[in-house]
Amino acid sequence: MLAGLTLGIGSRSRETAVDNMVLRSCWKSRHKNLRRTAARSVHPAGLAALLLLCSCATQLVCDAAAVGEAKYMVQKNADFDVTYNDTVTHDDQTIYAFNHTISRNKTVGVRVTVDVLQESVESPILFVVRQKQAVMSFQVPLNLRGLYQRQYPYKHVGRTLCQPPTRAASETQYFFVDVSTLSSRGTNYQLRVSRVESFTLQTDKKFTFSASPSQPQYFKYVFPDGVDTVIVKVNSDMNFPCSVMSIQDIQCPVYDLDNNVAFIGMYQTMTQKGAITVQRKDFPSNSFYVVVVVKTEDEACGGPLRLYPLRPDELINAGNRSKVLDVLVSRTINTETYVIGMLFCLGIFLSFYLLTLLVACVENKRMNRRRDLLQIPADVSPAETASLLGKNGDGKTPASPYEYGSFADTGSMLGSEPVTDSITSTDNNYGYMERSLDSIARSRQESLSSVEEEEYDTLDDINSDKNIVRTKKYLCVADLSRKDKRVLSKKYQIYFWNIATIAVFYALPVIQLVITYQTDVNVTGNQDICYYNFLCAHPLGALSSFNNILSNLGYVMLGLLFLLIVLKREIVHKRALDRNDINALECGIPKHFGLYYAMGTALMMEGLLSACYHVCPNYTNFQFDTSFMYMIAGLCMLKLYQKRHPDINASAYTAYACLAAVIFFSVLGVLFGRGNTVFWIVFSVIHILATLLLSTQLYYMGRWRLDSGILRRIVHVMYTDCIRQCSGPMYIDRMVLLVMGNIVNWSLAAYGLIERPNDFASYLLAIAICNLLLYFAFYIIMKLRSGERIQCLPLVCILFTAVVWGFALYFFFQGLSTWQKTPAESREHNRDCILLSFFDDHDIWHFLSSIAMFGSFLVLLTMDDDLDGVQRDKIYVF
């Protein structure tokens, strides 16, 4: 009672002081006006009358203001947890005075709750809360705006007061709640001020609360000693209403309304899940606020949008938008876990280097032992060499000299003479002639720098021979490896140099862009820019999700390892050529390493660009993660085709132009493909036409022309082969492959046209992978059907790669996030780490897919090693 009396006396003293201040101001103003008037006046009598009139008028106004101020202001001493029912008009103002004791070691929140009891009010009631170091004001009804200037009034408002820090062990603080309005009619309201005992969150303890657009909630968290990083998780069983969680520093004011929550700190929208990783270094006070706001509309979270109001100022009833949520603050990993994760990632891929070195040493030792046991003279023919060393150099004798297929019915020679670039025999249409090893060596050792394709390709001068050779019913590799090896090697090296140039020009702006993205996230605090798995996003430095970037290391390291393996093979092959080794010169699949170098470079770039994409994954930069996947799929198909068609494989310029077109359509699909029927019709037509053109090119080995007479020739072929006489296809094997390929591609085109998947980039990648797998399976089947066999190393690689691909695809389809939805909906797919508390499912996909790609490359590299001792005129083309 004594405290209340003292407070009342103090209040009256303050009111008296205010009145005196107003009077002094009026007195100073009156004398100032008198001096100015005297300086300008030239009539003393008029001056005296004017001074008297102004003095009286000014005194009356000031006295009236002072009297009115004192008459209509009412101050009440108020208590916590008491509901005050009162009425306010424009003639009076009520002040509620509160006091409470705060301590430095414990923070207790204070919450002000207000209700307007009338259905309609003439003017809103203004509430102003004055604290020691902060002022907060709000009106009731509280009008919150949505999209298109929609207005949603709320008559029940609850706000938490900002708690300024105190240096004293215990301190009593006062705050006042001023209530006023401009309404001439009395407006009834209820006011209640209560303490929030659970205002401070505890580590690993879940707290449940409810919030609405007009009743936001926020809580304080203090970092415990020894904890530098925590993750704040907010969950709800309700998808809607849409809400926002924010992390803000301990300062006043706290931005806890829908229209200002994005002003400061880190924030993200959420439906059922939300998570933000917080580091101690970002908050000097070693504490922060967790703010939860319910939005007035659900459009930001992918929900339905209300109809546009008929009148601009129409107030819309928002209905019940309360949401029950729970918040949990947990410790995250420490520095030791970071180190273990990095060492684990590095150790996995370094083990492949050690395994490769071990295999190379064993193979080298085995070859040296065989070389010592079998001293084969240099003048022994390849057939005798094969009989001594076995068909694949492993000591096994072939079942028959024609195990690889006989081409006697096509007019090929079964001897060991090498092939030449001109016709020298009328008995055979291959064009063989005998030449010594010395002449072969001399022609090979000519300078590559002076050779151009126009200078050596004499096949255009004997076009009839090209038509004869390439349109035979049965072809051998010798038929399609007639061009000079030097220029073909130079031609395929362009693949590597072109992709290296593309990589530089592509990667530099990508790196610059993702750095800008990450900077925007760090500066603005908008966590909706990037689609992370927020439940397993471990920051390091300026990077928000370091683990997703680190897991891409495998692509780079294994790509580099593959380049080293290819380099070693190329060096061995060149040494064999320098020794005039007949196996290297005239046997086996022609060795061209340019595409292998391009594949290894593409794998390394896939790792770099995937890491760049995961700096800030979103739909605008998804093509960074997929562009080199298209290139890898295309290069693998080209390499498969080049193995037995070295003379007629596509040039680097044509191949990369086609891949550029694919990437172009990928970008168009991401931007305009979602639900766009016209786009899907156009793309499906282009897809089918491209499939038909490529099928024709492969079936006729390039011996056809796309000109004005193409339709006439098609009709002629249909008439002669289908109507006049029913004859089957001349090239049955090729026809089987192309029919299967057309079925697959037409089916994919129909699926895209009917379903119109939102993820167009993945759909396009699925087309490329399906075609690659189809061609690879066809190659393996035809290889075995032709009597060839697969050695132990490539067989192990095939089985190992197939198993790894299976596990990799399992983790890929877990779908921890998706930019096809809103950021809030994407977070519903977020999941905790599953490996070493550091890596999530997508990181494991990175590990396994990089290993699987490396294994696939090894299969392509070693698959035809069994043919190294077989003459090319006995190797079947399919």
Side-chain angles (χ1 to χ4, degrees), residues 420-485:
T420 62
D421 293 335
S422 62
I423 298 177
T424 60
S425 174
T426 58
D427 296 332
N428 301 288
N429 54 12
Y430 287 140
Y432 293 96
M433 77 175 204
E434 296 184 359
R435 59 181 177 178
S436 64
L437 292 178
D438 294 337
S439 63
I440 294 175
R442 285 195 302 269
S443 63
R444 187 189 62 78
Q445 292 170 358
E446 293 177 0
S447 173
L448 292 178
S449 61
S450 62
V451 180
E452 297 296 338
E453 191 165 349
E454 291 79 3
E455 297 176 9
Y456 73 86
D457 190 4
T458 59
L459 292 181
D460 286 335
D461 300 332
I462 49 173
N463 195 57
S464 59
D465 181 69
K466 193 186 287 189
N467 291 327
I468 293 172
V469 171
R470 297 184 188 176
T471 56
K472 293 186 305 181
K473 186 173 183 179
Y474 299 102
L475 285 172
C476 63
V477 171
D479 296 323
L480 298 178
S481 59
R482 307 177 64 201
K483 293 182 180 180
D484 193 291
K485 301 177 185 62

Side-chain angles (χ1 to χ4, degrees), residues 9-42:
I9 296 173
S11 174
R12 286 192 293 273
S13 301
R14 283 194 298 272
E15 292 172 7
T16 305
V18 170
D19 294 343
N20 294 336
M21 186 180 299
V22 172
L23 292 176
R24 284 197 299 269
S25 176
C26 294
W27 178 258
K28 291 179 181 179
S29 175
R30 179 175 62 187
H31 281 272
K32 185 177 181 179
N33 290 335
L34 285 174
R35 288 194 297 269
R36 290 179 179 174
T37 306
R40 296 174 183 173
S41 178
V42 293

Side-chain angles (χ1 to χ4, degrees), residues 694-757:
L694 183 60
S695 299
T696 307
Q697 177 74 14
L698 295 177
Y699 185 77
Y700 289 107
M701 296 285 187
R703 307 313 303 150
W704 70 290
R705 296 189 304 273
L706 182 61
D707 53 20
S708 58
I710 184 67
L711 294 178
R712 177 177 55 82
R713 292 194 295 272
I714 291 175
V715 171
H716 177 73
V717 171
M718 295 293 292
Y719 174 75
T720 56
D721 292 351
C722 298
I723 299 177
R724 190 172 178 180
Q725 60 178 7
C726 186
S727 59
M730 184 176 180
Y731 315 109
I732 298 178
D733 295 335
R734 271 180 266 170
M735 179 59 69
V736 171
L737 170 65
L738 297 176
V739 168
M740 293 175 60
N742 276 267
I743 291 174
V744 170
N745 283 277
W746 285 53
S747 300
L748 289 171
Y751 170 80
L753 188 59
I754 296 172
E755 297 294 332
R756 295 193 292 274

Side-chain angles (χ1 to χ4, degrees), residues 627 630-635 638 654-664:
S627 295
Y630 302 138
M631 288 195 172
I632 289 173
L635 291 173
L638 285 170
T654 303
Y656 288 129
C658 294
L659 291 173
V662 171
I663 296 174
F664 174 74

Side-chain angles (χ1 to χ4, degrees), residues 545-797:
S545 185
F546 173 70
N547 53 298
N548 291 146
I549 299 172
L550 176 65
S551 58
N552 289 281
L553 182 65
Y555 297 105
V556 179
M557 294 186 64
L558 295 182
L560 178 60
L561 178 59
F562 182 74
L563 290 179
L564 295 176
I565 294 173
V566 173
L567 177 62
K568 186 256 185 186
R569 283 212 163 202
E570 185 178 20
I571 292 174
V572 171
H573 179 65
K574 286 184 177 180
R575 289 176 179 174
L577 293 179
D578 292 338
R579 295 194 307 266
N580 295 328
D581 190 337
I582 190 63
N583 288 338
L585 292 169
E586 300 297 336
C587 296
I589 298 296
K591 302 294 190 296
H592 301 293
F593 299 94
L595 271 169
Y596 286 128
Y597 285 119
M599 290 161 54
T601 305
L603 184 58
M604 295 179 65
M605 286 306 303
E606 170 59 29
L608 176 62
L609 293 180
S610 178
C612 290
Y613 165 72
H614 284 90
V615 169
C616 181
N618 57 71
Y619 82 99
T620 61
N621 61 4
F622 183 64
Q623 65 270 17
F624 300 165
D625 195 29
T626 56
S627 295
F628 275 83
M629 288 186 182
Y630 302 138
M631 288 195 172
I632 289 173
L635 291 173
C636 288
M637 283 189 281
L638 285 170
K639 187 58 194 178
L640 269 177
Y641 190 75
Q642 183 211 48
K643 280 177 171 290
R644 311 212 178 205
H645 310 79
D647 283 358
I648 60 174
N649 201 20
S651 67
Y653 307 109
T654 303
Y656 288 129
C658 294
L659 291 173
V662 171
I663 296 174
F664 174 74
F665 276 105
S666 173
V667 175
L668 290 182
V670 170
L671 296 178
F672 309 110
R674 183 175 298 183
N676 192 333
T677 305
V678 175
F679 171 83
W680 281 100
I681 291 175
V682 172
F683 175 77
S684 299
V685 170
I686 294 176
H687 183 192
I688 292 173
L689 290 178
T691 301
L692 291 174
L693 290 175
L694 183 60
S695 299
T696 307
Q697 177 74 14
L698 295 177
Y699 185 77
Y700 289 107
M701 296 285 187
R703 307 313 303 150
W704 70 290
R705 296 189 304 273
L706 182 61
D707 53 20
S708 58
I710 184 67
L711 294 178
R712 177 177 55 82
R713 292 194 295 272
I714 291 175
V715 171
H716 177 73
V717 171
M718 295 293 292
Y719 174 75
T720 56
D721 292 351
C722 298
I723 299 177
R724 190 172 178 180
Q725 60 178 7
C726 186
S727 59
M730 184 176 180
Y731 315 109
I732 298 178
D733 295 335
R734 271 180 266 170
M735 179 59 69
V736 171
L737 170 65
L738 297 176
V739 168
M740 293 175 60
N742 276 267
I743 291 174
V744 170
N745 283 277
W746 285 53
S747 300
L748 289 171
Y751 170 80
L753 188 59
I754 296 172
E755 297 294 332
R756 295 193 292 274
N758 292 330
D759 191 354
F760 181 80
S762 296
Y763 167 76
L764 202 59
L765 184 61
I767 294 176
I769 292 176
C770 286
N771 283 275
L772 174 59
L773 292 178
L774 177 64
Y775 189 25
F776 182 76
F778 172 81
Y779 191 95
I780 294 293
I781 293 172
M782 292 303 299
K783 180 178 177 66
L784 298 176
R785 182 172 174 266
S786 301
E788 303 172 13
R789 65 187 185 87
I790 301 176
Q791 287 185 326
C792 179
L793 179 60
L795 182 61
V796 171
C797 289

